[in-house]
Amino acid sequence: MRGRTLRIVVSVLISAVFLAFAVRGVHWGEAFEALRSANYLYVLLMLPVTVWTLFIRAQRWRIFLQAVAVPPLRPLVSATNIGFMANMVLPLRIGEGVRPVLLSRRAKLPLSGGLASVLLERIFDMFTILFLFGVSASLVSVSDQVRKWGWMLSGLALAVAAVIVLIRLQERLALAIARRIADLLPARLGETAYGFAEGFVKALEMLDSPTAYLRAAAWSLYLWLAISLVYVLGFSAFHLDVPTLRGALVLTTLVAIAVSVPSAPGYIGAFQLGCVLGLKIFGVAESPALAFSLIVHLSQFVGVIGAGLYSLWTENISLREVEAAEQGDVPVA
C-alpha cells in the first residue's frame, strides 16, 4: 500500500509540473475571452466522436485477442468503456488493468492473454503515433531537437519491434528465460509474471497471419485519425487559424506522447501541456491554446465518463468494485 501511495503522489506531482509549464505565459483575461467566444456547437460534436473512438478500440481489441479467443463485441465494449473511465477518475492508469480483468470475468477468457493483448495494443499505438509523428514532422517546421527526439523514438520503436519478432521466432527460448526470471521472484509474483509471459507469447501468434497484422495496423491508424477529428472540431470551435490536417496530426501526436507519462487521473496537466506545445508550433498564443485544451479535454472527459457509466449500469457494476477488481480483491459478478 505504501508503494502505491508513493506512486500516486509522484503521478500528481508530475501532473502539477506539466500544468505549471502549460499555464506559463497565460493571460487569464484572454483565456476567458477565448472561452466566452467559442462556438460550443462544435464542442457538442466532440462527444459522439469520443464515444465512437471507444467503440473503435473495442473492435480493434478483438483482433489482438484472436490468438486467445474471439469474445463477443458487447463485453469488449463494456470493458473498454469502463476501463477508460477508470483512467479518467482513478490514479495510476488503473483502467489498463481493469479492462482485461473485466473481460476475463465476463467472457471467461484467460487473464494472462487479456493482459498481454493490452500490451500488444500499446505497442501498436506506439508504432502508429510514431508514424504520425514522422508525417507531422515532415509537414511542419520543427526544431532540430524535436527532430532528434523523433529519430530517438523511432529507434526505440524499431528496437521493440525487433524484440517482439525475436520472441515470436524463439518462443521456447523466450519462455525459458521468463521461467528463470520468474524463479528468482517470490513464488506468487513469479507465477503471475510467468503466466503473463505465456499469455503474451500466445497473443503474439496473431502476427503469424499477415491479414491479422494488416487489420490491426489499419484499425490503429483509423483509431488515431478518429481521435484527431476531435482536435479538428476544436480548431473550428475556437476559430483557430491552424492547418486542419497538419494541426490535427501534430496535436494528436504530442498529446498522446504527453499523456503516456503516468500522471494524475484524467491526464490533467499532461493533456494541457501537449495542446499548448502543439498549438505553439502554429503561432497560437498560450492563452487561447490553454482555453482550447480545457474544453477539448472536458469534452473527452464527459464522453468517456458517460460511456463508462452507461456500461457500469448495463453490467451492474459499481466503481468501487472496479477498483477492487483491478487490485484482485473481489470478483466482479
Side-chain angles (χ1 to χ4, degrees):
M1 180 63 104
R2 184 176 299 174
R4 186 171 184 268
T5 301
L6 178 61
R7 292 196 299 272
I8 292 174
V9 170
V10 171
S11 67
V12 171
L13 288 176
I14 291 173
S15 278
V17 171
F18 281 172
L19 191 58
F21 277 105
V23 301
R24 285 193 315 171
V26 169
H27 299 285
W28 294 102
E30 295 178 8
F32 287 129
E33 176 59 26
L35 291 171
R36 188 195 65 78
S37 61
N39 185 339
Y40 287 93
L41 174 61
Y42 290 104
V43 177
L44 290 177
L45 293 176
M46 294 177 192
L47 298 177
V49 174
T50 297
V51 175
W52 181 246
T53 63
L54 293 173
F55 187 67
I56 296 172
R57 288 184 185 276
Q59 291 176 301
R60 184 186 65 158
W61 193 10
R62 180 185 276 177
I63 299 174
F64 293 118
L65 284 163
Q66 69 177 29
V68 180
V70 184
L73 187 57
R74 176 173 173 174
L76 282 168
V77 171
S78 294
T80 299
N81 290 347
I82 295 170
F84 277 87
M85 182 193 70
N87 279 342
M88 286 291 187
V89 299
L90 297 174
L92 304 176
R93 300 180 71 96
I94 278 177
E96 300 301 326
V98 164
R99 286 198 293 141
V101 169
L102 289 178
L103 185 65
S104 172
R105 296 176 182 181
R106 289 296 181 177
K108 309 301 181 185
L109 298 180
L111 179 57
S112 60
L115 289 168
S117 69
V118 170
L119 177 58
L120 202 53
E121 269 189 338
R122 289 293 158 261
I123 291 171
F124 268 77
D125 282 338
M126 180 179 66
F127 290 148
T128 307
I129 291 168
L130 288 175
F131 170 74
L132 293 177
F133 184 95
V135 172
S136 57
S138 66
L139 293 175
V140 300
S141 177
V142 295
S143 68
D144 291 339
Q145 183 63 44
V146 172
R147 203 175 301 277
K148 182 179 178 181
W149 289 344
W151 283 112
M152 291 172 60
L153 291 172
S154 298
L156 176 61
L158 290 175
V160 172
V163 170
I164 290 173
V165 171
L166 184 61
I167 291 174
R168 186 68 202 113
L169 294 177
Q170 299 293 331
E171 178 179 317
R172 291 185 179 179
L173 176 61
L175 288 176
I177 294 174
R179 179 76 272 175
R180 290 193 176 186
I181 294 174
D183 289 341
L184 298 175
L185 302 173
R188 184 176 177 182
L189 179 59
E191 287 306 311
T192 300
Y194 185 72
F196 175 80
E198 284 187 311
F200 185 64
V201 169
K202 181 69 175 175
L204 287 181
E205 290 180 10
M206 62 87 64
L207 300 178
D208 293 346
S209 168
T211 301
Y213 181 86
L214 291 175
R215 285 176 60 208
W219 275 97
S220 297
L221 186 59
Y222 174 33
L223 168 64
W224 287 98
L225 289 177
I227 291 172
S228 71
L229 180 57
V230 174
Y231 299 108
V232 172
L233 293 170
F235 298 156
S236 297
F238 283 85
H239 320 291
L240 299 181
D241 185 19
V242 175
T244 302
L245 176 60
R246 287 182 290 167
L249 290 181
V250 168
L251 259 68
T252 299
T253 303
L254 292 182
V255 172
I257 293 173
V259 302
S260 66
V261 179
S263 55
Y267 321 116
I268 295 173
F271 191 95
Q272 281 67 45
L273 182 60
C275 286
V276 170
L277 292 178
L279 290 173
K280 190 174 183 179
I281 293 175
F282 300 98
V284 178
E286 288 87 349
S287 301
L290 181 67
F292 169 96
S293 74
L294 293 174
I295 295 302
V296 174
H297 196 188
L298 179 62
S299 74
Q300 294 192 334
F301 187 88
V302 171
V304 171
I305 294 297
L309 290 176
Y310 172 79
S311 291
L312 285 177
W313 175 64
T314 58
E315 298 291 338
N316 194 27
I317 302 172
S318 70
L319 189 60
R320 186 185 296 269
E321 289 176 304
V322 169
E323 185 174 15
E326 191 275 336
Q327 298 176 44
D329 293 339
V330 296
V332 178

